[in-house]
Amino acid sequence: MLIEYFQKTLNLPYFILINLLGILVLIAFLALPKEKKKKPEFLLAFVFVILLTFYENFAYYLIVDKKLNEFFHGLITDTPFQGWNLWVFNLFNDQLSKILLLMVILVNVYGKTRRLALKITILLFCLSCFFLQLLGIEPLYSFQTIIYLIGNSALIVACGLYFVDLLSHEKHLDTNPLKSWSFWSITLILFESTVVFLADIAYSYLAFNNVELYNFFNLVSQVLYVLLIIVLVFTIVSEIFFEFFKAKLDHDT
């Protein structure tokens, strides 16, 4: 199974890039000083990229290993197994990764009112995921269009709160946002979520009347998502270089 899996994924540039970024972020995080590993901006970036690397590989492996896929399907539901691995993306991409991205935004918001609003947004999203699945409205093994829409909407709202905070809170006023990795990561989160939101709202029209435009939306979304991953990886990598040059400068002086 593993040989078949590697034979297929080694021909996919996206998987190669994701795995390289996953290895890079792991090495960079391990190289961070102990006290900086605990900082939310580095810890969240690390967990997000590792989670993404895991579920992308796991989802594809389940396509190859149908017995394992059927085993997990049996744990989730008693409905007939049809070979889908949709639950992996529902759980890890549409729910857990969005919660992590909301937390990435939260640690960069300082205003008390905006932080409270963002915490409520995260709580409401978590409760929505829980109850929509518990009540059987959107089972984990099926398409979760409501949760998907709520998640992207929550990210757009959270990004809006961040940019209001960026323009008003004193902690942001003394820094140049263009030199901040967090600014670029949240900007990419906003762009990607907005593109997906627009495509989702116009899905019925695009799917039947303009498939090319729908595919274009998906392509733009994928490119923005990859750029977001790269920015989060370099949030940690740049810190390693900073520590290296700082240590070298201290040694020379």
Side-chain angles (χ1 to χ4, degrees):
M1 290 294 180
L2 283 174
I3 294 175
E4 183 182 354
Y5 165 75
F6 284 119
Q7 285 176 341
K8 290 186 176 182
T9 55
L10 286 176
N11 295 322
L12 301 173
Y14 174 75
F15 271 87
I16 295 173
L17 177 60
I18 291 300
N19 283 298
L20 287 176
L21 289 171
I23 294 170
L24 179 59
V25 81
L26 177 61
I27 295 172
F29 187 77
L30 292 175
L32 276 176
K34 186 176 180 180
E35 64 277 5
K36 293 201 172 181
K37 286 187 175 71
K38 300 177 182 178
K39 287 193 172 185
E41 60 266 32
F42 302 128
L43 182 59
L44 288 171
F46 168 72
V47 173
F48 177 83
V49 177
I50 291 298
L51 178 71
L52 181 137
T53 306
F54 164 74
Y55 76 70
E56 287 284 5
N57 283 276
F58 183 53
Y60 203 90
Y61 181 77
L62 288 180
I63 296 176
V64 176
D65 193 340
K66 296 189 183 300
K67 288 185 178 179
L68 183 62
N69 194 357
E70 187 174 4
F71 169 75
F72 281 112
H73 182 83
L75 294 178
I76 297 169
T77 177
D78 55 1
T79 59
F81 175 65
Q82 296 179 324
W84 295 357
N85 61 351
L86 188 59
W87 69 270
V88 178
F89 293 102
N90 287 340
L91 176 61
F92 293 105
N93 180 62
D94 295 346
Q95 297 180 42
L96 294 180
S97 68
K98 281 185 170 55
I99 293 171
L100 286 172
L101 290 178
L102 287 168
M103 293 175 67
V104 167
I105 299 170
L106 178 62
V107 299
N108 290 285
V109 173
Y110 303 111
K112 289 183 179 180
T113 304
R114 289 179 288 275
R115 282 185 64 84
L116 177 61
L118 190 41
K119 288 177 181 178
I120 292 173
T121 301
I122 297 172
L123 178 61
L124 289 176
F125 175 62
C126 293
L127 291 175
S128 298
C129 294
F130 178 75
F131 283 109
L132 285 171
Q133 292 173 122
L134 179 67
L135 298 174
I137 298 173
E138 291 205 330
L140 183 62
Y141 60 85
S142 185
F143 291 98
Q144 297 188 327
T145 54
I146 300 175
I147 290 175
Y148 189 67
L149 180 62
I150 293 174
N152 287 312
S153 301
L155 285 174
I156 292 171
V157 169
C159 290
L161 292 170
Y162 164 77
F163 284 108
V164 171
D165 199 70
L166 182 68
L167 296 172
S168 58
H169 200 278
E170 58 184 11
K171 285 190 177 181
H172 292 294
L173 299 178
D174 295 332
T175 59
N176 183 355
L178 298 178
K179 295 181 179 180
S180 170
W181 287 113
S182 60
F183 169 80
W184 291 111
S185 62
I186 296 173
T187 299
L188 287 168
I189 292 171
L190 175 61
F191 286 168
E192 197 273 338
S193 301
T194 303
V195 168
V196 170
F197 181 85
L198 292 174
D200 196 42
I201 291 295
Y203 173 78
S204 58
Y205 170 77
L206 295 174
F208 293 102
N209 297 283
N210 200 332
V211 178
E212 292 81 7
L213 183 57
Y214 181 73
N215 291 334
F216 175 74
F217 271 117
N218 284 334
L219 177 61
V220 171
S221 172
Q222 290 174 0
V223 171
L224 290 172
Y225 206 64
V226 170
L227 289 175
L228 170 61
I229 299 164
I230 292 172
V231 168
L232 290 174
V233 169
F234 277 90
T235 299
I236 301 176
V237 172
S238 62
E239 190 65 21
I240 297 298
F241 281 105
F242 173 77
E243 289 291 329
F244 172 77
F245 287 115
K246 181 182 175 182
K248 192 174 186 310
L249 183 63
D250 291 341
H251 180 268
D252 293 340
T253 55

Short mmCIF file of all heavy atoms in Angstrom, two decimals, residues 196-216:
data_model
loop_
_atom_site.label_atom_id
_atom_site.label_comp_id
_atom_site.label_asym_id
_atom_site.label_seq_id
_atom_site.Cartn_x
_atom_site.Cartn_y
_atom_site.Cartn_z
N VAL A 196 -13.49 31.84 -1.59
CA VAL A 196 -14.27 30.63 -1.36
C VAL A 196 -15.73 30.98 -1.04
O VAL A 196 -16.67 30.33 -1.51
CB VAL A 196 -13.65 29.81 -0.20
CG1 VAL A 196 -14.59 28.67 0.21
CG2 VAL A 196 -12.31 29.24 -0.62
N PHE A 197 -15.92 32.04 -0.25
CA PHE A 197 -17.27 32.49 0.12
C PHE A 197 -18.06 32.89 -1.12
O PHE A 197 -19.22 32.49 -1.30
CB PHE A 197 -17.17 33.66 1.10
CG PHE A 197 -18.50 34.18 1.58
CD1 PHE A 197 -19.14 33.60 2.65
CD2 PHE A 197 -19.10 35.27 0.95
CE1 PHE A 197 -20.37 34.08 3.09
CE2 PHE A 197 -20.32 35.75 1.38
CZ PHE A 197 -20.96 35.16 2.46
N LEU A 198 -17.44 33.66 -1.99
CA LEU A 198 -18.12 34.11 -3.21
C LEU A 198 -18.45 32.94 -4.13
O LEU A 198 -19.53 32.87 -4.71
CB LEU A 198 -17.24 35.13 -3.96
CG LEU A 198 -17.04 36.48 -3.27
CD1 LEU A 198 -16.03 37.32 -4.04
CD2 LEU A 198 -18.37 37.23 -3.15
N ALA A 199 -17.50 32.01 -4.26
CA ALA A 199 -17.73 30.83 -5.09
C ALA A 199 -18.85 29.97 -4.52
O ALA A 199 -19.66 29.40 -5.26
CB ALA A 199 -16.45 30.01 -5.21
N ASP A 200 -18.91 29.89 -3.19
CA ASP A 200 -19.94 29.09 -2.54
C ASP A 200 -21.32 29.72 -2.71
O ASP A 200 -22.31 29.03 -2.98
CB ASP A 200 -19.60 28.94 -1.05
CG ASP A 200 -20.38 27.82 -0.40
OD1 ASP A 200 -20.51 26.75 -1.02
OD2 ASP A 200 -20.87 28.00 0.73
N ILE A 201 -21.40 31.04 -2.56
CA ILE A 201 -22.67 31.75 -2.71
C ILE A 201 -23.20 31.60 -4.14
O ILE A 201 -24.40 31.42 -4.37
CB ILE A 201 -22.50 33.24 -2.37
CG1 ILE A 201 -22.23 33.42 -0.86
CG2 ILE A 201 -23.72 34.04 -2.78
CD1 ILE A 201 -23.38 33.01 0.04
N ALA A 202 -22.30 31.69 -5.11
CA ALA A 202 -22.70 31.65 -6.53
C ALA A 202 -22.58 30.25 -7.12
O ALA A 202 -22.58 30.10 -8.34
CB ALA A 202 -21.85 32.64 -7.32
N TYR A 203 -22.48 29.22 -6.28
CA TYR A 203 -22.21 27.86 -6.77
C TYR A 203 -23.25 27.38 -7.77
O TYR A 203 -22.91 26.86 -8.84
CB TYR A 203 -22.13 26.88 -5.60
CG TYR A 203 -22.02 25.45 -6.04
CD1 TYR A 203 -20.80 24.94 -6.49
CD2 TYR A 203 -23.13 24.60 -6.03
CE1 TYR A 203 -20.69 23.63 -6.92
CE2 TYR A 203 -23.02 23.29 -6.46
CZ TYR A 203 -21.80 22.81 -6.89
OH TYR A 203 -21.70 21.52 -7.32
N SER A 204 -24.53 27.53 -7.43
CA SER A 204 -25.60 27.02 -8.30
C SER A 204 -25.55 27.66 -9.68
O SER A 204 -25.80 26.99 -10.69
CB SER A 204 -26.96 27.24 -7.66
OG SER A 204 -27.16 28.62 -7.39
N TYR A 205 -25.22 28.95 -9.73
CA TYR A 205 -25.12 29.63 -11.02
C TYR A 205 -23.86 29.20 -11.78
O TYR A 205 -23.93 28.84 -12.97
CB TYR A 205 -25.11 31.14 -10.83
CG TYR A 205 -24.76 31.90 -12.09
CD1 TYR A 205 -25.70 32.07 -13.11
CD2 TYR A 205 -23.47 32.41 -12.29
CE1 TYR A 205 -25.38 32.74 -14.28
CE2 TYR A 205 -23.15 33.08 -13.47
CZ TYR A 205 -24.10 33.24 -14.45
OH TYR A 205 -23.78 33.88 -15.61
N LEU A 206 -22.71 29.23 -11.08
CA LEU A 206 -21.44 28.92 -11.74
C LEU A 206 -21.38 27.47 -12.21
O LEU A 206 -20.85 27.18 -13.30
CB LEU A 206 -20.28 29.22 -10.79
CG LEU A 206 -20.07 30.68 -10.39
CD1 LEU A 206 -18.98 30.80 -9.34
CD2 LEU A 206 -19.73 31.53 -11.61
N ALA A 207 -21.91 26.56 -11.41
CA ALA A 207 -21.82 25.13 -11.74
C ALA A 207 -22.58 24.80 -13.02
O ALA A 207 -22.19 23.88 -13.76
CB ALA A 207 -22.35 24.30 -10.58
N PHE A 208 -23.65 25.55 -13.31
CA PHE A 208 -24.47 25.24 -14.48
C PHE A 208 -24.28 26.22 -15.64
O PHE A 208 -24.62 25.90 -16.78
CB PHE A 208 -25.95 25.22 -14.08
CG PHE A 208 -26.31 24.10 -13.16
CD1 PHE A 208 -26.47 24.33 -11.80
CD2 PHE A 208 -26.46 22.81 -13.63
CE1 PHE A 208 -26.80 23.29 -10.94
CE2 PHE A 208 -26.79 21.76 -12.77
CZ PHE A 208 -26.95 22.00 -11.42
N ASN A 209 -23.74 27.40 -15.35
CA ASN A 209 -23.65 28.42 -16.39
C ASN A 209 -22.24 28.87 -16.73
O ASN A 209 -21.99 29.35 -17.83
CB ASN A 209 -24.47 29.65 -15.98
CG ASN A 209 -25.95 29.35 -15.84
OD1 ASN A 209 -26.66 29.22 -16.81
ND2 ASN A 209 -26.39 29.22 -14.60
N ASN A 210 -21.31 28.72 -15.76
CA ASN A 210 -19.95 29.21 -16.02
C ASN A 210 -18.94 28.36 -15.24
O ASN A 210 -18.38 28.81 -14.23
CB ASN A 210 -19.84 30.68 -15.62
CG ASN A 210 -18.67 31.37 -16.29
OD1 ASN A 210 -17.67 30.73 -16.61
ND2 ASN A 210 -18.78 32.67 -16.50
N VAL A 211 -18.75 27.15 -15.70
CA VAL A 211 -17.86 26.21 -15.02
C VAL A 211 -16.42 26.73 -15.02
O VAL A 211 -15.68 26.53 -14.05
CB VAL A 211 -17.93 24.82 -15.68
CG1 VAL A 211 -16.96 23.85 -15.00
CG2 VAL A 211 -19.34 24.27 -15.62
N GLU A 212 -16.02 27.40 -16.11
CA GLU A 212 -14.66 27.93 -16.20
C GLU A 212 -14.38 28.93 -15.09
O GLU A 212 -13.30 28.91 -14.48
CB GLU A 212 -14.44 28.59 -17.57
CG GLU A 212 -14.42 27.65 -18.76
CD GLU A 212 -15.82 27.28 -19.22
OE1 GLU A 212 -16.79 27.87 -18.69
OE2 GLU A 212 -15.95 26.40 -20.09
N LEU A 213 -15.36 29.80 -14.81
CA LEU A 213 -15.19 30.78 -13.74
C LEU A 213 -15.14 30.11 -12.38
O LEU A 213 -14.35 30.49 -11.51
CB LEU A 213 -16.32 31.81 -13.77
CG LEU A 213 -16.24 32.96 -12.74
CD1 LEU A 213 -14.92 33.72 -12.90
CD2 LEU A 213 -17.44 33.89 -12.89
N TYR A 214 -15.95 29.07 -12.21
CA TYR A 214 -15.94 28.32 -10.95
C TYR A 214 -14.58 27.65 -10.73
O TYR A 214 -14.02 27.69 -9.63
CB TYR A 214 -17.04 27.28 -10.95
CG TYR A 214 -17.12 26.48 -9.68
CD1 TYR A 214 -17.60 27.04 -8.50
CD2 TYR A 214 -16.68 25.15 -9.64
CE1 TYR A 214 -17.66 26.31 -7.32
CE2 TYR A 214 -16.73 24.42 -8.46
CZ TYR A 214 -17.23 25.00 -7.31
OH TYR A 214 -17.27 24.27 -6.14
N ASN A 215 -14.04 27.05 -11.78
CA ASN A 215 -12.72 26.43 -11.69
C ASN A 215 -11.64 27.47 -11.42
O ASN A 215 -10.66 27.19 -10.71
CB ASN A 215 -12.40 25.68 -12.99
CG ASN A 215 -13.26 24.45 -13.16
OD1 ASN A 215 -13.73 23.87 -12.20
ND2 ASN A 215 -13.49 24.05 -14.41
N PHE A 216 -11.82 28.66 -11.99
CA PHE A 216 -10.87 29.75 -11.75
C PHE A 216 -10.88 30.16 -10.28
O PHE A 216 -9.83 30.37 -9.67
CB PHE A 216 -11.20 30.95 -12.63
CG PHE A 216 -10.34 32.16 -12.37
CD1 PHE A 216 -9.01 32.20 -12.78
CD2 PHE A 216 -10.85 33.26 -11.67
CE1 PHE A 216 -8.22 33.30 -12.53
CE2 PHE A 216 -10.06 34.36 -11.42
CZ PHE A 216 -8.74 34.39 -11.85
#
